[in-house]
Amino acid sequence: MEICVLGAGDVGRLIAYDLSKDYEVSIADKNKERLKLAENFATTFELDASRFEDLVEFMKKFDLIIGALPGRFGFSTLKAAIKARKDIVDVSFMPENPLELDDQAKEAGIRMVVDAGFAPGLSNILMGHIQVVLGKLDEGVINVGGLPKNPQPPLYYKVVFSPYDLIEEYTRPARIIRDGRLIRVDPLEDIKQLKIRDFEFESFVSDGLRTLLTTIEAENLYENTLRWKGHLEKMKVLKELGFFRPENLDFTMKVILPLMQFESDDFSIMEVYGKSGDQKIRYFMYDEAQGGFTSMARSTGYITAIAARLMLKYEFEPGIIPPELFGMEDELFDGIMKEVKKRNIVLEEYHKGL
């Protein structure tokens, strides 16, 4: 079974590393330096994923494709997999709706797991399981963040994934369910204070629900992304002044990116909560950098690798497979929970009224 990971960034390397323990794995990227970091556990290929036809031909060499490219390449990667007729597990945070490709995937006879990461990804799986147990939710909430353990001024944030995807979190309207209606809100319009365990954060509503908007029955459903205090107000000012407009973004990055690159281990934290009447289910997840990988790479890439293993083990029907569907099947959900904990990630479950 030959697997190829597209993208040799932190997440892509972690995926390749995990899968290389049991499968023959290749990894492709146009950056030679990134590829060198994966040479010990994967066969490396130089590839420019923006060249669509080249990407299609390259995919045909493998049994399973893993998409770990920045969000702006995600949708075209899915379309390339359809044309190449290859199963794919994708983790990119693409702005497009992958469900639009469901009919094409079915026609091509391929299976496509999308949003198979941390959030979206593990958050979907947990919310999917909550839905099965509780039925229609009065409220479903995801609180999630990947943060430096030692934040540095002036922005108090360290980039742990694609910086352009980071900015898109602040500019893309967030889709949520409020009072039974799908609405779109400005993500930085309402910055809130939020406490989880002993941590005190500020949060904003983010556009991370994605497929959950159509697969979960809820009166209210939303996702909050967490930041250390002092970050979001600065991002809001930059946005209001036009620094995040497409024509200004490259210049803005040159200025602010160095301010978000400093030495500090990171950690990932997530709370997924569902309520129906007096019944409540809450999941708490926590992880820290270890083993030479950032926590964001671990919490994201391990979920992708676990999803890939499910694809290789089970005969799913062709089409788009949102990760929450894994959470709706007890056998799959129990297996995922065990695999996550096996990788030294804290994942705890709490019930009330059940």
Side-chain angles (χ1 to χ4, degrees):
M1 186 65 65
E2 294 189 41
I3 302 171
C4 184
V5 179
L6 301 176
D10 290 346
V11 172
R13 289 197 306 275
L14 186 283
I15 297 167
Y17 171 76
D18 186 86
L19 292 174
S20 68
K21 298 174 183 178
D22 300 296
Y23 303 100
E24 185 175 340
V25 178
S26 298
I27 190 166
D29 199 295
K30 68 177 183 179
N31 187 306
K32 295 180 181 180
E33 297 304 313
R34 288 178 180 171
L35 289 173
K36 286 180 181 179
L37 298 174
E39 287 178 343
N40 290 337
F41 48 83
T43 303
T44 61
F45 293 91
E46 285 186 50
L47 177 72
D48 184 350
S50 66
R51 300 172 65 91
F52 184 80
E53 293 301 332
D54 291 348
L55 179 60
V56 171
E57 290 304 312
F58 181 77
M59 285 182 173
K60 292 179 180 179
K61 304 175 183 178
F62 304 95
D63 300 299
L64 177 66
I65 304 297
I66 311 288
L69 296 166
R72 64 186 183 277
F73 295 115
F75 201 65
S76 63
T77 300
L78 294 183
K79 291 195 288 187
I82 290 172
K83 189 170 183 178
R85 295 183 180 272
K86 293 295 178 179
D87 290 342
I88 184 170
V89 176
D90 189 81
V91 69
S92 66
F93 189 66
M94 67 189 74
E96 299 89 351
N97 180 5
L99 293 175
E100 294 176 2
L101 299 176
D102 186 49
D103 289 341
Q104 294 179 46
K106 289 176 178 176
E107 185 177 342
I110 66 168
R111 304 165 301 164
M112 308 176 79
V113 180
V114 296
D115 290 342
F118 176 31
L122 179 59
S123 57
N124 300 54
I125 293 167
L126 298 175
M127 191 62 77
H129 190 69
I130 290 173
Q131 170 82 97
V132 165
V133 176
L134 298 184
K136 183 175 180 178
L137 304 177
D138 298 325
E139 184 178 50
V141 182
I142 299 165
N143 297 317
V144 61
L147 298 159
K149 296 183 71 175
N150 302 298
Q152 301 294 318
L155 296 181
Y156 303 99
Y157 186 77
K158 180 181 178 181
V159 173
V160 288
F161 56 97
S162 167
Y164 288 91
D165 285 356
L166 169 69
I167 300 304
E168 189 162 351
E169 287 189 338
Y170 304 139
T171 58
R172 185 194 301 180
R175 293 164 295 168
I176 63 174
I177 303 293
R178 181 182 293 166
D179 297 328
R181 294 175 53 247
L182 171 64
I183 63 172
R184 289 173 169 79
V185 298
D186 180 343
L188 296 181
E189 180 179 329
D190 187 15
I191 298 172
K192 297 179 179 179
Q193 307 304 306
L194 196 152
K195 185 173 182 179
I196 300 178
R197 300 285 174 99
D198 294 329
F199 296 98
E200 293 186 1
F201 303 110
E202 59 185 21
S203 69
F204 67 101
V205 178
S206 45
D207 190 43
L209 294 177
R210 300 169 62 73
T211 56
L212 292 174
L213 294 166
T214 57
T215 58
I216 299 297
E217 287 188 89
E219 192 68 15
N220 297 281
L221 186 67
Y222 52 94
E223 178 191 88
N224 298 313
T225 294
L226 310 173
R227 296 287 184 259
W228 289 121
K229 292 181 179 180
H231 175 78
L232 291 176
E233 287 294 347
K234 295 182 176 69
M235 294 295 102
K236 186 174 182 178
V237 170
L238 289 174
K239 179 181 176 181
E240 289 174 347
L241 294 176
F243 283 86
F244 294 160
R245 291 175 187 157
E247 65 270 24
N248 298 330
L249 193 51
D250 287 342
F251 169 79
T252 301
M253 280 298 184
K254 290 179 182 179
V255 177
I256 70 171
L257 188 55
L259 301 175
M260 296 187 288
Q261 294 174 321
F262 51 85
E263 289 300 317
S264 173
D265 284 341
D266 69 321
F267 71 98
S268 304
I269 187 168
M270 181 164 65
E271 186 178 58
V272 180
Y273 165 82
K275 175 180 180 293
S276 180
D278 295 330
Q279 296 182 322
K280 301 176 183 178
I281 299 177
R282 186 184 305 271
Y283 290 96
F284 173 76
M285 174 268 182
Y286 183 83
D287 181 65
E288 294 186 355
Q290 53 189 285
F293 291 101
T294 66
S295 175
M296 183 55 66
R298 285 170 42 82
S299 58
T300 303
Y302 278 140
I303 303 304
T304 316
I306 292 169
R309 292 172 185 275
L310 292 178
M311 284 278 279
L312 296 170
K313 182 178 180 180
Y314 294 94
E315 289 294 330
F316 299 109
E317 292 294 321
I320 300 293
I321 305 173
E324 56 267 29
L325 298 187
F326 294 151
M328 294 177 180
E329 296 286 342
D330 286 345
E331 180 182 348
L332 299 180
F333 179 74
D334 291 343
I336 291 169
M337 293 286 282
K338 289 177 183 177
E339 289 296 318
V340 170
K341 294 175 182 178
K342 186 191 299 184
R343 288 159 174 80
N344 203 27
I345 294 174
V346 174
L347 184 54
E348 301 170 350
E349 179 178 348
Y350 303 91
H351 289 174
K352 184 178 180 180
L354 295 178

